Amino acid sequence: MKNVIDGINHWLGFIPEEFNRMTEKELNHRPMPHKWSKKEILGHLCDSALNNMNRFIKIQYQEQPYVIQSYNQDQWVLVQKYHERPIDEIVNLFCTLNKQIIYIITNTPNDRLSNLCDIGNNQQKSLEWLIKDYLEHMEHHINNQILIKK
């Protein structure tokens, strides 16, 4: 889990600086009408943190396999109106949520990392896999969408 914690910590240092360098135009630009802006992508990463924080906790104590509940990502972004929010609020939320995730991961007993969750499509994965996947998902959005210059 050290690699995941180190990865999240890296982005906690990088994201505030990166978003502070961006102009409003860059933050709000949608590459296509149905695609999210960089500001909305960061909001989506906040939503992902909220949902995964919930999962990381519940998988530790609820009956196995814990069934992962999906959420409508587009509606979460739309309802929370990330496009209208000041970027510093979204960046602060991202940092606060991910600091809490690091705290949860750090304090997860090793024997709980093998607890299983049902991720749908008849697939069961461990809590350890889910935690690693959380960082991979974050990095996918950062590297392939946020860091792409438009």
Side-chain angles (χ1 to χ4, degrees), residues 26-56:
E26 288 176 296
L27 291 170
N28 292 309
H29 172 74
R30 288 188 174 136
M32 298 179 77
H34 63 284
K35 297 285 186 184
W36 292 330
S37 67
K38 293 179 189 301
K39 192 189 277 191
E40 290 168 319
I41 293 164
L42 189 62
H44 164 68
L45 292 177
C46 293
D47 299 341
S48 173
L50 280 166
N51 279 276
N52 280 287
M53 186 185 311
N54 186 36
R55 295 167 180 165
F56 297 165

PDB file of all heavy atoms in Angstrom, residues 26-56:
ATOM      1  N   GLU A  26      -8.919  27.623 -19.727  1.00  0.00           N
ATOM      2  CA  GLU A  26      -8.425  26.242 -19.693  1.00  0.00           C
ATOM      3  C   GLU A  26      -9.255  25.380 -18.741  1.00  0.00           C
ATOM      4  O   GLU A  26      -9.574  24.230 -19.046  1.00  0.00           O
ATOM      5  CB  GLU A  26      -6.973  26.197 -19.234  1.00  0.00           C
ATOM      6  CG  GLU A  26      -5.970  26.710 -20.232  1.00  0.00           C
ATOM      7  CD  GLU A  26      -4.571  26.727 -19.661  1.00  0.00           C
ATOM      8  OE1 GLU A  26      -4.328  27.480 -18.685  1.00  0.00           O
ATOM      9  OE2 GLU A  26      -3.715  25.993 -20.189  1.00  0.00           O
ATOM     10  N   LEU A  27      -9.595  25.932 -17.583  1.00  0.00           N
ATOM     11  CA  LEU A  27     -10.349  25.186 -16.574  1.00  0.00           C
ATOM     12  C   LEU A  27     -11.743  24.814 -17.047  1.00  0.00           C
ATOM     13  O   LEU A  27     -12.257  23.751 -16.708  1.00  0.00           O
ATOM     14  CB  LEU A  27     -10.481  26.015 -15.286  1.00  0.00           C
ATOM     15  CG  LEU A  27      -9.214  26.234 -14.486  1.00  0.00           C
ATOM     16  CD1 LEU A  27      -9.452  27.260 -13.399  1.00  0.00           C
ATOM     17  CD2 LEU A  27      -8.727  24.912 -13.903  1.00  0.00           C
ATOM     18  N   ASN A  28     -12.355  25.690 -17.818  1.00  0.00           N
ATOM     19  CA  ASN A  28     -13.758  25.506 -18.210  1.00  0.00           C
ATOM     20  C   ASN A  28     -13.949  24.952 -19.610  1.00  0.00           C
ATOM     21  O   ASN A  28     -15.081  24.658 -20.003  1.00  0.00           O
ATOM     22  CB  ASN A  28     -14.506  26.833 -18.069  1.00  0.00           C
ATOM     23  CG  ASN A  28     -14.629  27.241 -16.622  1.00  0.00           C
ATOM     24  OD1 ASN A  28     -15.059  26.465 -15.782  1.00  0.00           O
ATOM     25  ND2 ASN A  28     -14.212  28.460 -16.311  1.00  0.00           N
ATOM     26  N   HIS A  29     -12.864  24.785 -20.368  1.00  0.00           N
ATOM     27  CA  HIS A  29     -12.977  24.287 -21.741  1.00  0.00           C
ATOM     28  C   HIS A  29     -13.453  22.830 -21.756  1.00  0.00           C
ATOM     29  O   HIS A  29     -12.871  21.976 -21.089  1.00  0.00           O
ATOM     30  CB  HIS A  29     -11.631  24.391 -22.464  1.00  0.00           C
ATOM     31  CG  HIS A  29     -11.632  23.721 -23.797  1.00  0.00           C
ATOM     32  ND1 HIS A  29     -12.268  24.260 -24.896  1.00  0.00           N
ATOM     33  CD2 HIS A  29     -11.096  22.543 -24.205  1.00  0.00           C
ATOM     34  CE1 HIS A  29     -12.110  23.446 -25.923  1.00  0.00           C
ATOM     35  NE2 HIS A  29     -11.401  22.394 -25.522  1.00  0.00           N
ATOM     36  N   ARG A  30     -14.492  22.576 -22.534  1.00  0.00           N
ATOM     37  CA  ARG A  30     -14.966  21.206 -22.758  1.00  0.00           C
ATOM     38  C   ARG A  30     -14.517  20.793 -24.159  1.00  0.00           C
ATOM     39  O   ARG A  30     -14.867  21.458 -25.132  1.00  0.00           O
ATOM     40  CB  ARG A  30     -16.482  21.135 -22.657  1.00  0.00           C
ATOM     41  CG  ARG A  30     -16.984  21.284 -21.244  1.00  0.00           C
ATOM     42  CD  ARG A  30     -18.476  21.005 -21.173  1.00  0.00           C
ATOM     43  NE  ARG A  30     -18.907  21.025 -19.793  1.00  0.00           N
ATOM     44  CZ  ARG A  30     -20.010  21.622 -19.386  1.00  0.00           C
ATOM     45  NH1 ARG A  30     -20.792  22.249 -20.241  1.00  0.00           N
ATOM     46  NH2 ARG A  30     -20.339  21.586 -18.111  1.00  0.00           N
ATOM     47  N   PRO A  31     -13.756  19.706 -24.279  1.00  0.00           N
ATOM     48  CA  PRO A  31     -13.258  19.291 -25.588  1.00  0.00           C
ATOM     49  C   PRO A  31     -14.385  18.958 -26.567  1.00  0.00           C
ATOM     50  O   PRO A  31     -14.219  19.095 -27.761  1.00  0.00           O
ATOM     51  CB  PRO A  31     -12.387  18.073 -25.293  1.00  0.00           C
ATOM     52  CG  PRO A  31     -12.701  17.665 -23.905  1.00  0.00           C
ATOM     53  CD  PRO A  31     -13.304  18.839 -23.202  1.00  0.00           C
ATOM     54  N   MET A  32     -15.514  18.542 -26.021  1.00  0.00           N
ATOM     55  CA  MET A  32     -16.722  18.288 -26.799  1.00  0.00           C
ATOM     56  C   MET A  32     -17.888  18.630 -25.885  1.00  0.00           C
ATOM     57  O   MET A  32     -17.741  18.576 -24.660  1.00  0.00           O
ATOM     58  CB  MET A  32     -16.784  16.827 -27.253  1.00  0.00           C
ATOM     59  CG  MET A  32     -15.630  16.434 -28.162  1.00  0.00           C
ATOM     60  SD  MET A  32     -15.718  14.708 -28.670  1.00  0.00           S
ATOM     61  CE  MET A  32     -16.994  14.820 -29.916  1.00  0.00           C
ATOM     62  N   PRO A  33     -19.045  18.965 -26.450  1.00  0.00           N
ATOM     63  CA  PRO A  33     -20.174  19.386 -25.599  1.00  0.00           C
ATOM     64  C   PRO A  33     -20.556  18.390 -24.500  1.00  0.00           C
ATOM     65  O   PRO A  33     -20.936  18.780 -23.411  1.00  0.00           O
ATOM     66  CB  PRO A  33     -21.312  19.565 -26.597  1.00  0.00           C
ATOM     67  CG  PRO A  33     -20.644  19.836 -27.906  1.00  0.00           C
ATOM     68  CD  PRO A  33     -19.353  19.058 -27.877  1.00  0.00           C
ATOM     69  N   HIS A  34     -20.403  17.113 -24.757  1.00  0.00           N
ATOM     70  CA  HIS A  34     -20.804  16.095 -23.771  1.00  0.00           C
ATOM     71  C   HIS A  34     -19.638  15.627 -22.887  1.00  0.00           C
ATOM     72  O   HIS A  34     -19.805  14.730 -22.071  1.00  0.00           O
ATOM     73  CB  HIS A  34     -21.439  14.899 -24.488  1.00  0.00           C
ATOM     74  CG  HIS A  34     -20.494  14.190 -25.409  1.00  0.00           C
ATOM     75  ND1 HIS A  34     -20.142  14.701 -26.640  1.00  0.00           N
ATOM     76  CD2 HIS A  34     -19.799  13.043 -25.269  1.00  0.00           C
ATOM     77  CE1 HIS A  34     -19.294  13.879 -27.222  1.00  0.00           C
ATOM     78  NE2 HIS A  34     -19.065  12.862 -26.404  1.00  0.00           N
ATOM     79  N   LYS A  35     -18.463  16.249 -23.038  1.00  0.00           N
ATOM     80  CA  LYS A  35     -17.297  15.892 -22.225  1.00  0.00           C
ATOM     81  C   LYS A  35     -17.114  16.904 -21.098  1.00  0.00           C
ATOM     82  O   LYS A  35     -17.500  18.052 -21.204  1.00  0.00           O
ATOM     83  CB  LYS A  35     -16.029  15.862 -23.091  1.00  0.00           C
ATOM     84  CG  LYS A  35     -16.045  14.815 -24.184  1.00  0.00           C
ATOM     85  CD  LYS A  35     -15.831  13.458 -23.606  1.00  0.00           C
ATOM     86  CE  LYS A  35     -15.705  12.424 -24.716  1.00  0.00           C
ATOM     87  NZ  LYS A  35     -15.590  11.073 -24.178  1.00  0.00           N
ATOM     88  N   TRP A  36     -16.472  16.464 -20.022  1.00  0.00           N
ATOM     89  CA  TRP A  36     -16.231  17.324 -18.878  1.00  0.00           C
ATOM     90  C   TRP A  36     -15.055  18.264 -19.122  1.00  0.00           C
ATOM     91  O   TRP A  36     -14.093  17.929 -19.807  1.00  0.00           O
ATOM     92  CB  TRP A  36     -15.918  16.490 -17.641  1.00  0.00           C
ATOM     93  CG  TRP A  36     -17.052  15.676 -17.117  1.00  0.00           C
ATOM     94  CD1 TRP A  36     -18.386  15.951 -17.191  1.00  0.00           C
ATOM     95  CD2 TRP A  36     -16.944  14.442 -16.403  1.00  0.00           C
ATOM     96  NE1 TRP A  36     -19.111  14.976 -16.565  1.00  0.00           N
ATOM     97  CE2 TRP A  36     -18.249  14.029 -16.072  1.00  0.00           C
ATOM     98  CE3 TRP A  36     -15.887  13.650 -16.004  1.00  0.00           C
ATOM     99  CZ2 TRP A  36     -18.507  12.860 -15.369  1.00  0.00           C
ATOM    100  CZ3 TRP A  36     -16.140  12.487 -15.304  1.00  0.00           C
ATOM    101  CH2 TRP A  36     -17.441  12.104 -14.986  1.00  0.00           C
ATOM    102  N   SER A  37     -15.122  19.422 -18.479  1.00  0.00           N
ATOM    103  CA  SER A  37     -13.986  20.347 -18.436  1.00  0.00           C
ATOM    104  C   SER A  37     -12.980  19.828 -17.404  1.00  0.00           C
ATOM    105  O   SER A  37     -13.287  18.923 -16.617  1.00  0.00           O
ATOM    106  CB  SER A  37     -14.465  21.741 -18.037  1.00  0.00           C
ATOM    107  OG  SER A  37     -14.927  21.722 -16.689  1.00  0.00           O
ATOM    108  N   LYS A  38     -11.798  20.435 -17.368  1.00  0.00           N
ATOM    109  CA  LYS A  38     -10.790  20.043 -16.374  1.00  0.00           C
ATOM    110  C   LYS A  38     -11.319  20.258 -14.950  1.00  0.00           C
ATOM    111  O   LYS A  38     -11.078  19.454 -14.059  1.00  0.00           O
ATOM    112  CB  LYS A  38      -9.495  20.828 -16.593  1.00  0.00           C
ATOM    113  CG  LYS A  38      -8.787  20.476 -17.903  1.00  0.00           C
ATOM    114  CD  LYS A  38      -7.528  21.275 -18.095  1.00  0.00           C
ATOM    115  CE  LYS A  38      -6.907  21.123 -19.461  1.00  0.00           C
ATOM    116  NZ  LYS A  38      -6.516  19.818 -19.873  1.00  0.00           N
ATOM    117  N   LYS A  39     -12.066  21.323 -14.766  1.00  0.00           N
ATOM    118  CA  LYS A  39     -12.660  21.609 -13.461  1.00  0.00           C
ATOM    119  C   LYS A  39     -13.654  20.502 -13.081  1.00  0.00           C
ATOM    120  O   LYS A  39     -13.670  20.028 -11.940  1.00  0.00           O
ATOM    121  CB  LYS A  39     -13.374  22.964 -13.521  1.00  0.00           C
ATOM    122  CG  LYS A  39     -13.786  23.507 -12.183  1.00  0.00           C
ATOM    123  CD  LYS A  39     -14.669  24.736 -12.329  1.00  0.00           C
ATOM    124  CE  LYS A  39     -13.913  26.004 -12.541  1.00  0.00           C
ATOM    125  NZ  LYS A  39     -14.787  27.203 -12.423  1.00  0.00           N
ATOM    126  N   GLU A  40     -14.461  20.072 -14.041  1.00  0.00           N
ATOM    127  CA  GLU A  40     -15.438  19.009 -13.779  1.00  0.00           C
ATOM    128  C   GLU A  40     -14.760  17.660 -13.577  1.00  0.00           C
ATOM    129  O   GLU A  40     -15.219  16.842 -12.772  1.00  0.00           O
ATOM    130  CB  GLU A  40     -16.445  18.935 -14.925  1.00  0.00           C
ATOM    131  CG  GLU A  40     -17.382  20.122 -14.955  1.00  0.00           C
ATOM    132  CD  GLU A  40     -18.198  20.210 -16.230  1.00  0.00           C
ATOM    133  OE1 GLU A  40     -17.647  19.962 -17.333  1.00  0.00           O
ATOM    134  OE2 GLU A  40     -19.395  20.541 -16.127  1.00  0.00           O
ATOM    135  N   ILE A  41     -13.648  17.420 -14.271  1.00  0.00           N
ATOM    136  CA  ILE A  41     -12.905  16.176 -14.065  1.00  0.00           C
ATOM    137  C   ILE A  41     -12.366  16.121 -12.644  1.00  0.00           C
ATOM    138  O   ILE A  41     -12.452  15.085 -11.974  1.00  0.00           O
ATOM    139  CB  ILE A  41     -11.763  16.029 -15.101  1.00  0.00           C
ATOM    140  CG1 ILE A  41     -12.357  15.841 -16.503  1.00  0.00           C
ATOM    141  CG2 ILE A  41     -10.846  14.865 -14.747  1.00  0.00           C
ATOM    142  CD1 ILE A  41     -11.363  16.057 -17.631  1.00  0.00           C
ATOM    143  N   LEU A  42     -11.830  17.237 -12.159  1.00  0.00           N
ATOM    144  CA  LEU A  42     -11.358  17.271 -10.776  1.00  0.00           C
ATOM    145  C   LEU A  42     -12.527  17.056  -9.814  1.00  0.00           C
ATOM    146  O   LEU A  42     -12.387  16.344  -8.815  1.00  0.00           O
ATOM    147  CB  LEU A  42     -10.633  18.581 -10.469  1.00  0.00           C
ATOM    148  CG  LEU A  42      -9.930  18.619  -9.118  1.00  0.00           C
ATOM    149  CD1 LEU A  42      -8.838  17.549  -9.029  1.00  0.00           C
ATOM    150  CD2 LEU A  42      -9.340  19.995  -8.861  1.00  0.00           C
ATOM    151  N   GLY A  43     -13.679  17.632 -10.125  1.00  0.00           N
ATOM    152  CA  GLY A  43     -14.877  17.379  -9.323  1.00  0.00           C
ATOM    153  C   GLY A  43     -15.245  15.903  -9.330  1.00  0.00           C
ATOM    154  O   GLY A  43     -15.596  15.323  -8.295  1.00  0.00           O
ATOM    155  N   HIS A  44     -15.143  15.277 -10.507  1.00  0.00           N
ATOM    156  CA  HIS A  44     -15.407  13.838 -10.608  1.00  0.00           C
ATOM    157  C   HIS A  44     -14.436  13.047  -9.724  1.00  0.00           C
ATOM    158  O   HIS A  44     -14.834  12.074  -9.074  1.00  0.00           O
ATOM    159  CB  HIS A  44     -15.297  13.378 -12.064  1.00  0.00           C
ATOM    160  CG  HIS A  44     -15.176  11.901 -12.215  1.00  0.00           C
ATOM    161  ND1 HIS A  44     -16.207  11.042 -11.904  1.00  0.00           N
ATOM    162  CD2 HIS A  44     -14.137  11.126 -12.625  1.00  0.00           C
ATOM    163  CE1 HIS A  44     -15.795   9.786 -12.118  1.00  0.00           C
ATOM    164  NE2 HIS A  44     -14.546   9.828 -12.548  1.00  0.00           N
ATOM    165  N   LEU A  45     -13.183  13.480  -9.669  1.00  0.00           N
ATOM    166  CA  LEU A  45     -12.225  12.792  -8.803  1.00  0.00           C
ATOM    167  C   LEU A  45     -12.577  12.966  -7.326  1.00  0.00           C
ATOM    168  O   LEU A  45     -12.322  12.075  -6.519  1.00  0.00           O
ATOM    169  CB  LEU A  45     -10.801  13.266  -9.101  1.00  0.00           C
ATOM    170  CG  LEU A  45     -10.255  12.849 -10.470  1.00  0.00           C
ATOM    171  CD1 LEU A  45      -8.864  13.428 -10.694  1.00  0.00           C
ATOM    172  CD2 LEU A  45     -10.252  11.331 -10.634  1.00  0.00           C
ATOM    173  N   CYS A  46     -13.199  14.088  -6.987  1.00  0.00           N
ATOM    174  CA  CYS A  46     -13.714  14.268  -5.618  1.00  0.00           C
ATOM    175  C   CYS A  46     -14.854  13.287  -5.356  1.00  0.00           C
ATOM    176  O   CYS A  46     -14.921  12.650  -4.294  1.00  0.00           O
ATOM    177  CB  CYS A  46     -14.199  15.701  -5.407  1.00  0.00           C
ATOM    178  SG  CYS A  46     -12.896  16.940  -5.433  1.00  0.00           S
ATOM    179  N   ASP A  47     -15.747  13.151  -6.328  1.00  0.00           N
ATOM    180  CA  ASP A  47     -16.863  12.211  -6.190  1.00  0.00           C
ATOM    181  C   ASP A  47     -16.346  10.777  -6.063  1.00  0.00           C
ATOM    182  O   ASP A  47     -16.850   9.982  -5.267  1.00  0.00           O
ATOM    183  CB  ASP A  47     -17.807  12.308  -7.383  1.00  0.00           C
ATOM    184  CG  ASP A  47     -18.441  13.674  -7.532  1.00  0.00           C
ATOM    185  OD1 ASP A  47     -18.456  14.446  -6.556  1.00  0.00           O
ATOM    186  OD2 ASP A  47     -18.930  13.974  -8.645  1.00  0.00           O
ATOM    187  N   SER A  48     -15.336  10.459  -6.849  1.00  0.00           N
ATOM    188  CA  SER A  48     -14.719   9.136  -6.776  1.00  0.00           C
ATOM    189  C   SER A  48     -14.125   8.909  -5.384  1.00  0.00           C
ATOM    190  O   SER A  48     -14.272   7.829  -4.807  1.00  0.00           O
ATOM    191  CB  SER A  48     -13.625   9.023  -7.845  1.00  0.00           C
ATOM    192  OG  SER A  48     -12.907   7.821  -7.712  1.00  0.00           O
ATOM    193  N   ALA A  49     -13.481   9.927  -4.846  1.00  0.00           N
ATOM    194  CA  ALA A  49     -12.905   9.813  -3.501  1.00  0.00           C
ATOM    195  C   ALA A  49     -13.999   9.554  -2.468  1.00  0.00           C
ATOM    196  O   ALA A  49     -13.857   8.682  -1.608  1.00  0.00           O
ATOM    197  CB  ALA A  49     -12.132  11.081  -3.147  1.00  0.00           C
ATOM    198  N   LEU A  50     -15.092  10.298  -2.564  1.00  0.00           N
ATOM    199  CA  LEU A  50     -16.208  10.103  -1.625  1.00  0.00           C
ATOM    200  C   LEU A  50     -16.756   8.683  -1.693  1.00  0.00           C
ATOM    201  O   LEU A  50     -16.955   8.025  -0.670  1.00  0.00           O
ATOM    202  CB  LEU A  50     -17.340  11.086  -1.930  1.00  0.00           C
ATOM    203  CG  LEU A  50     -17.166  12.493  -1.413  1.00  0.00           C
ATOM    204  CD1 LEU A  50     -18.176  13.425  -2.066  1.00  0.00           C
ATOM    205  CD2 LEU A  50     -17.322  12.511   0.088  1.00  0.00           C
ATOM    206  N   ASN A  51     -17.016   8.222  -2.895  1.00  0.00           N
ATOM    207  CA  ASN A  51     -17.595   6.892  -3.056  1.00  0.00           C
ATOM    208  C   ASN A  51     -16.625   5.797  -2.651  1.00  0.00           C
ATOM    209  O   ASN A  51     -17.016   4.813  -2.016  1.00  0.00           O
ATOM    210  CB  ASN A  51     -18.064   6.703  -4.508  1.00  0.00           C
ATOM    211  CG  ASN A  51     -19.400   7.345  -4.744  1.00  0.00           C
ATOM    212  OD1 ASN A  51     -20.439   6.762  -4.466  1.00  0.00           O
ATOM    213  ND2 ASN A  51     -19.394   8.580  -5.223  1.00  0.00           N
ATOM    214  N   ASN A  52     -15.360   5.960  -2.985  1.00  0.00           N
ATOM    215  CA  ASN A  52     -14.390   4.933  -2.623  1.00  0.00           C
ATOM    216  C   ASN A  52     -14.045   4.941  -1.149  1.00  0.00           C
ATOM    217  O   ASN A  52     -13.811   3.884  -0.562  1.00  0.00           O
ATOM    218  CB  ASN A  52     -13.144   5.046  -3.501  1.00  0.00           C
ATOM    219  CG  ASN A  52     -13.389   4.404  -4.841  1.00  0.00           C
ATOM    220  OD1 ASN A  52     -13.450   3.184  -4.941  1.00  0.00           O
ATOM    221  ND2 ASN A  52     -13.551   5.214  -5.874  1.00  0.00           N
ATOM    222  N   MET A  53     -14.048   6.102  -0.533  1.00  0.00           N
ATOM    223  CA  MET A  53     -13.831   6.174   0.909  1.00  0.00           C
ATOM    224  C   MET A  53     -14.884   5.310   1.617  1.00  0.00           C
ATOM    225  O   MET A  53     -14.559   4.499   2.495  1.00  0.00           O
ATOM    226  CB  MET A  53     -13.933   7.628   1.375  1.00  0.00           C
ATOM    227  CG  MET A  53     -13.597   7.843   2.819  1.00  0.00           C
ATOM    228  SD  MET A  53     -13.860   9.554   3.347  1.00  0.00           S
ATOM    229  CE  MET A  53     -13.022  10.484   2.097  1.00  0.00           C
ATOM    230  N   ASN A  54     -16.108   5.466   1.221  1.00  0.00           N
ATOM    231  CA  ASN A  54     -17.222   4.694   1.750  1.00  0.00           C
ATOM    232  C   ASN A  54     -16.973   3.194   1.555  1.00  0.00           C
ATOM    233  O   ASN A  54     -17.144   2.386   2.481  1.00  0.00           O
ATOM    234  CB  ASN A  54     -18.498   5.154   1.032  1.00  0.00           C
ATOM    235  CG  ASN A  54     -19.745   4.544   1.559  1.00  0.00           C
ATOM    236  OD1 ASN A  54     -19.890   4.316   2.750  1.00  0.00           O
ATOM    237  ND2 ASN A  54     -20.684   4.278   0.671  1.00  0.00           N
ATOM    238  N   ARG A  55     -16.535   2.826   0.375  1.00  0.00           N
ATOM    239  CA  ARG A  55     -16.266   1.412   0.068  1.00  0.00           C
ATOM    240  C   ARG A  55     -15.104   0.880   0.901  1.00  0.00           C
ATOM    241  O   ARG A  55     -15.187  -0.232   1.443  1.00  0.00           O
ATOM    242  CB  ARG A  55     -15.946   1.269  -1.420  1.00  0.00           C
ATOM    243  CG  ARG A  55     -17.109   1.600  -2.313  1.00  0.00           C
ATOM    244  CD  ARG A  55     -16.670   1.755  -3.752  1.00  0.00           C
ATOM    245  NE  ARG A  55     -17.811   2.075  -4.603  1.00  0.00           N
ATOM    246  CZ  ARG A  55     -17.705   2.543  -5.836  1.00  0.00           C
ATOM    247  NH1 ARG A  55     -16.506   2.739  -6.372  1.00  0.00           N
ATOM    248  NH2 ARG A  55     -18.785   2.813  -6.536  1.00  0.00           N
ATOM    249  N   PHE A  56     -14.012   1.640   0.976  1.00  0.00           N
ATOM    250  CA  PHE A  56     -12.819   1.184   1.703  1.00  0.00           C
ATOM    251  C   PHE A  56     -13.139   0.910   3.170  1.00  0.00           C
ATOM    252  O   PHE A  56     -12.551   0.016   3.781  1.00  0.00           O
ATOM    253  CB  PHE A  56     -11.694   2.213   1.627  1.00  0.00           C
ATOM    254  CG  PHE A  56     -11.159   2.489   0.236  1.00  0.00           C
ATOM    255  CD1 PHE A  56     -10.378   3.605   0.012  1.00  0.00           C
ATOM    256  CD2 PHE A  56     -11.433   1.657  -0.835  1.00  0.00           C
ATOM    257  CE1 PHE A  56      -9.863   3.875  -1.251  1.00  0.00           C
ATOM    258  CE2 PHE A  56     -10.938   1.924  -2.114  1.00  0.00           C
ATOM    259  CZ  PHE A  56     -10.149   3.039  -2.322  1.00  0.00           C
TER     260      PHE A  56
END
